[in-house]
Amino acid sequence: MKVLLLNGSRREKGCTYTALSEIAQTLEKQGIQAEIIHAVPETEIIKSVAEKVKTADGLVVGSPVYWASPSGEIISFMDRLSSLAGKDLLHKPAAAVASARRAGTTATLDVLAKYFTYHQMPVVSANYWNVVHGNTPDEVKKDAEGMQIMRVLGNNMAWLLKCIEAGKNNGVQIPETEAKIMTNFIR
């Protein structure tokens, strides 16, 4: 199994990357392959990510908070990814992560979650909002609660992926009618 983690920050190895790395490490401890992709600038990699979505089992989208919202880059990326790979996103578990110095995180999570619910993706949660706080990667690492939330999120994603795989192995299928209806609207 594999989870793609999209880093929507302008800083490739910044605070959002630090949070996603904690999730990736947790997934790998659970036997789930994790790949962090820097989604900025999106024009260079959007087609390769759309191809990777076809075989990925789950998705985590992370963004710093800019003006109480996700970065414009990740919004643009998700818009284009939805157009290119919308049908391949259907029913794959997903989670949003926000990184901020202080506020705006819940609004950011809300914007990102809309991509997931539109594509009928089970939204993975943790034991609190999927956020980390800090102005630098070192400050984020010191956010003990935020880092613990990232680990819980990683464990919950692994658990849900394993449940879905067990269901598939026992004949449980996604209702064809529902998926076909949605693919008429999703490119």
Side-chain angles (χ1 to χ4, degrees), residues 15 19 65 98-106 128-147 149-150:
C15 298
V65 174
S99 169
R101 187 178 67 82
R102 288 194 186 271
T105 53
T106 56
Y128 196 62
W129 301 108
N130 299 339
V131 303
V132 294
H133 292 282
N135 205 33
T136 66
D138 285 337
E139 287 179 11
V140 169
K141 289 176 187 174
K142 292 176 185 172
D143 176 13
E145 182 180 19
M147 296 304 275
I149 291 166
M150 296 303 110

Side-chain angles (χ1 to χ4, degrees), residues 76-159:
S76 175
F77 189 93
M78 291 305 295
D79 285 350
R80 292 193 61 210
L81 184 63
S82 294
S83 291
L84 289 172
K87 68 185 182 316
D88 298 317
L89 292 169
L90 289 174
H91 301 106
K92 294 181 180 183
V97 171
S99 169
R101 187 178 67 82
R102 288 194 186 271
T105 53
T106 56
T108 296
L109 295 176
D110 183 52
V111 170
L112 294 174
K114 289 174 179 156
Y115 291 99
F116 310 148
T117 56
Y118 183 81
H119 292 94
Q120 303 177 59
M121 301 170 85
V123 178
V124 180
S125 61
N127 56 328
Y128 196 62
W129 301 108
N130 299 339
V131 303
V132 294
H133 292 282
N135 205 33
T136 66
D138 285 337
E139 287 179 11
V140 169
K141 289 176 187 174
K142 292 176 185 172
D143 176 13
E145 182 180 19
M147 296 304 275
Q148 183 256 348
I149 291 166
M150 296 303 110
R151 289 188 294 276
V152 170
L153 178 60
N155 283 323
N156 288 349
M157 175 69 81
W159 175 80

